[in-house]
């Protein structure tokens, strides 16, 4: 299965490289013929797209530069289609973790930070996530976020239990939520924790990364000019075994029954009111406020694991310039607006889903902009207790192979964790070798 997926990826990449080699402002699209219009893509649902519409309208009003805005749900599929027609978008806003893949496929123009007005208001930590394998920047930071623990405060206080600080605290609270009728309806119909544990699109690796970090685990580690797999360590064995035995196996109702087939889109138990905890991203705050009410839940730092830290997965979005020429000044002007205090605040506020969570502009404070102290928990987690997936490699196959392995181990409670992690480590070595990154 891995070999077939790798072959398909290689064919896709070669097709994209062929398609983008000739991309330029001379393509046949109507947009390319308008020197004052930028085509901009974001991976957005209708709710967040309305926020982008407001941001781009403000930009056009201020600069006179027009935006042909395209919110795209099936972003990568559509991007491949456009690359094959030699007509990439001018500007794209998408996940930081995709930069390595996009760079490897030749989809992006390199960026000089100094060419973007306001670049010095972005921290070195954020800029570091845009550096490709060749040492050049291929993105401009736009939004950042870090996982935090959402807890039903009303349930916790009703049961007289403290805020969880460690894994053991979290497990005890989850068991209490599952067994002590926290909603008071006299039925056994609540779960301790929500988990998007499907292998689809790497979800269980995305959710599980924070637990791995807290256990002292890294999926791959930097090794000189390359990387090496790191999932056969003693820390990985201890951490994955703990997760399997305490969260996924046993009849204690700690997680929802559908966890191992759940993705974030159908993992709604927390907002539906039948689960007590969710380690997830801050984009859910507005959803949970509407579904539950602010007074019903709290946003807390993640618990500390056996490695003595409470590190969580950090990710976010970058601004990318499509690998084409002719509109560099317009692209740089848009990027400067998007990272400015004005552009960032517009994207953080309003009646619709915010598209900037933690601002990359260091002059802004998320909690002050939103007048909501819960965002200070998220910002502090990003600034002091977060780890990102490595951005230079193409991390997509690494995340997917990790998710496949973890999902299989968690599905079969009699599985051999040590053997499964050894097999995963060998698979990750193959992924790195395919990218000429194995050391």
């Amino acid at each position: 299965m891995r070999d077939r997926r790798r072959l398909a990826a290689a064919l896709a990449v070669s097709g994209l490289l062929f398609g983008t080699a000739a991309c330029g402002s001379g393509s046949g699209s109507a947009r390319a013929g308008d020197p004052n219009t930028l085509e901009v893509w974001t991976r957005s649902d209708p709710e967040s797209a309305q926020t982008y519409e407001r941001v781009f309208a403000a930009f056009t009003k201020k600069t006179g530069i027009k935006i042909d805005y395209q919110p795209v749900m099936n972003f990568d599929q559509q991007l491949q289609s456009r690359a094959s027609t030699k007509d990439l978008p001018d500007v794209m806003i998408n996940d930081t973790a995709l930069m390595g893949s996009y760079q490897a496929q030749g989809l992006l123009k390199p960026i000089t930070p100094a060419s973007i007005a306001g670049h010095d208001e972005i921290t070195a930590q954020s800029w570091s996530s845009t550096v490709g394998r060749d040492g050049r920047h291929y993105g401009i930071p736009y939004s950042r976020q870090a996982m935090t623990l959402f807890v039903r405060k009303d349930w916790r206080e009703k049961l007289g239990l403290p805020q969880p600080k460690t894994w053991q605290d979290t497990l005890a609270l989850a068991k209490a939520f599952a067994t002590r009728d926290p909603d008071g309806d006299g039925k056994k119909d609540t779960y301790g924790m929500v988990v998007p544990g499907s292998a689809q699109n790497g979800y269980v690796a995305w959710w599980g990364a924070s637990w791995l970090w807290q256990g002292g685990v890294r999926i791959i580690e930097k090794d000189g000019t390359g990387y090496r797999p790191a999932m056969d360590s003693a820390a990985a064995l201890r951490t994955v075994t703990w997760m399997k035995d305490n969260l996924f196996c046993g009849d204690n109702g700690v997680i929802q029954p559908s966890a191992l087939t759940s993705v974030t889109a159908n993992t709604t138990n927390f907002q539906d009111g039948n689960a007590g905890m969710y380690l997830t991203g801050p984009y859910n705050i507005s959803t949970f406020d509407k579904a539950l009410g602010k007074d019903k839940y709290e946003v807390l730092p993640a618990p500390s694991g056996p490695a003595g830290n409470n590190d969580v997965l950090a990710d976010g979005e970058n601004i990318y310039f499509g690998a084409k020429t002719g509109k560099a000044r317009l692209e740089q002007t848009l990027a400067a607006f998007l990272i400015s205090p004005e552009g960032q605040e517009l994207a953080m506020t309003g009646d619709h889903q915010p598209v900037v969570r933690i601002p990359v502009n260091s002059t802004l404070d998320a909690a002050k902009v939103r007048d909501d102290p819960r965002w200070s928990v998220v910002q502090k987690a990003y600034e002091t207790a977060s780890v990102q997936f490595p951005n230079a490699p193409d991390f997509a196959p690494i995340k997917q192979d990790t998710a496949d392995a973890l999902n299989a181990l968690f599905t079969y409670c009699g599985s051999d964790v040590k053997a499964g992690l050894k097999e995963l480590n060998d698979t990750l070595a193959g992924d790195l070798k395919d990218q000429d990154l194995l050391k």
Side-chain angles (χ1 to χ4, degrees):
M1 182 183 297
R2 176 174 167 271
D3 290 340
R4 289 197 300 271
R5 186 165 62 238
R6 183 174 298 151
L7 176 60
L11 291 171
V13 169
S14 63
L16 288 169
L17 287 170
F18 176 82
T20 56
C23 283
S25 61
S27 69
S29 72
R31 290 172 295 275
D34 184 348
N36 198 48
T37 296
L38 288 172
E39 183 186 9
V40 181
W41 282 21
T42 68
R43 185 173 62 84
S44 303
D45 58 25
E47 180 73 11
S48 59
Q50 292 187 66
T51 301
Y52 276 117
E53 292 274 12
R54 188 162 56 93
V55 172
F56 295 139
F59 169 74
T60 297
K61 183 177 181 180
K62 185 170 187 174
T63 65
I65 298 170
K66 292 178 284 187
I67 300 295
D68 176 9
Y69 173 47
Q70 306 291 330
V72 183
M73 287 293 289
N74 297 322
F75 195 101
D76 291 321
Q77 180 181 353
Q78 294 300 316
L79 188 61
Q80 290 187 26
S81 176
R82 283 290 298 272
S84 69
T85 64
K86 306 176 184 178
D87 183 23
L88 286 170
D90 298 298
V91 178
M92 299 169 280
I93 301 176
N94 207 350
D95 297 345
T96 58
L98 291 169
M99 194 200 75
S101 174
Y102 289 170
Q103 183 204 353
Q105 297 173 33
L107 301 180
L108 306 178
K109 265 194 304 199
I111 292 165
T112 303
S115 68
I116 310 300
H119 68 93
D120 53 343
E121 293 180 342
I122 297 177
T123 66
Q125 178 186 4
S126 292
W127 271 118
S128 68
S129 64
T130 67
V131 178
R133 290 174 58 179
D134 59 3
R136 294 192 292 178
H137 294 270
Y138 284 88
I140 302 157
Y142 178 59
S143 172
R144 293 295 181 265
Q145 61 191 32
M147 305 278 248
T148 53
L149 186 65
F150 293 73
V151 177
R152 283 296 297 265
K153 179 182 178 182
D154 55 340
W155 289 9
R156 181 182 62 76
E157 291 179 342
K158 177 183 177 182
L159 299 178
L161 295 170
Q163 293 178 342
K165 305 292 186 185
T166 67
W167 280 11
Q168 291 306 319
D169 293 343
T170 306
L171 183 61
L173 186 59
K175 289 180 178 179
F177 285 162
T179 61
R180 293 175 55 185
D181 191 23
D183 61 358
D185 67 356
K187 301 176 183 178
K188 188 176 175 58
D189 57 358
T190 56
Y191 306 104
M193 186 184 304
V194 178
V195 174
S198 171
Q200 179 183 335
N201 296 330
Y203 271 106
V204 71
W206 170 82
W207 168 84
S210 298
W211 297 89
L212 297 178
W213 306 164
Q214 293 156 22
V217 184
R218 294 293 182 267
I219 297 173
I220 59 174
E221 292 183 334
K222 197 82 171 69
D223 187 3
T225 58
Y227 293 83
R228 61 180 180 84
M231 285 299 289
D232 64 347
S233 65
L237 177 60
R238 178 185 65 229
T239 300
V240 175
T241 299
W242 189 93
M243 294 170 68
K244 172 176 170 281
D245 292 346
N246 291 285
L247 302 182
F248 293 90
C249 296
D251 186 24
N252 52 24
V254 169
I255 61 177
Q256 84 276 17
S258 62
L260 288 165
T261 58
S262 293
V263 299
T264 54
N266 60 23
T267 307
T268 61
N269 301 78
F270 192 83
Q271 62 260 44
D272 291 344
N274 60 23
M277 281 185 284
Y278 194 2
L279 184 67
T280 188
Y283 44 81
N284 278 313
I285 288 177
S286 61
T287 300
F288 296 163
D289 282 355
K290 292 176 183 177
L292 298 173
K294 292 182 179 181
D295 59 323
K296 294 290 198 302
Y297 74 98
E298 54 198 340
V299 181
L300 304 176
S304 294
N309 70 71
N310 64 340
D311 289 346
V312 289
L313 177 65
D315 55 16
E317 289 78 42
N318 290 333
I319 303 162
Y320 300 112
F321 295 163
K324 52 195 293 186
T325 60
K327 295 186 178 179
R329 182 188 64 80
L330 273 64
E331 293 166 355
Q332 292 164 2
T333 303
L334 175 59
F337 178 81
L338 292 174
I339 66 171
S340 70
E342 179 185 359
Q344 294 262 289
E345 287 193 34
L346 281 170
M348 294 168 64
T349 56
D351 296 330
H352 302 287
Q353 179 72 259
V355 295
V356 167
R357 282 90 191 195
I358 298 301
V360 297
N361 190 298
S362 59
T363 68
L364 299 177
D365 180 281
K368 289 181 179 178
V369 171
R370 295 184 171 94
D371 192 24
D372 187 341
R374 297 175 300 176
W375 282 92
S376 65
V377 178
V378 184
Q379 187 152 351
K380 185 176 180 181
Y382 173 72
E383 293 174 350
T384 66
S386 68
V387 177
Q388 300 182 99
F389 288 139
N391 52 281
D394 178 358
F395 202 76
I398 295 169
K399 182 176 73 171
Q400 187 59 59
D401 286 330
T402 302
D404 289 340
L406 292 179
N407 184 271
L409 288 171
F410 297 153
T411 297
Y412 303 104
C413 291
S415 59
D416 184 333
V417 175
K418 186 174 183 179
L421 292 179
K422 173 62 169 63
E423 182 178 352
L424 170 59
N425 220 58
D426 292 342
T427 301
L428 297 178
D431 290 334
L432 293 170
K433 185 177 180 180
D434 287 347
Q435 300 182 45
D436 296 322
L437 288 173
L438 182 63
K439 295 293 180 181

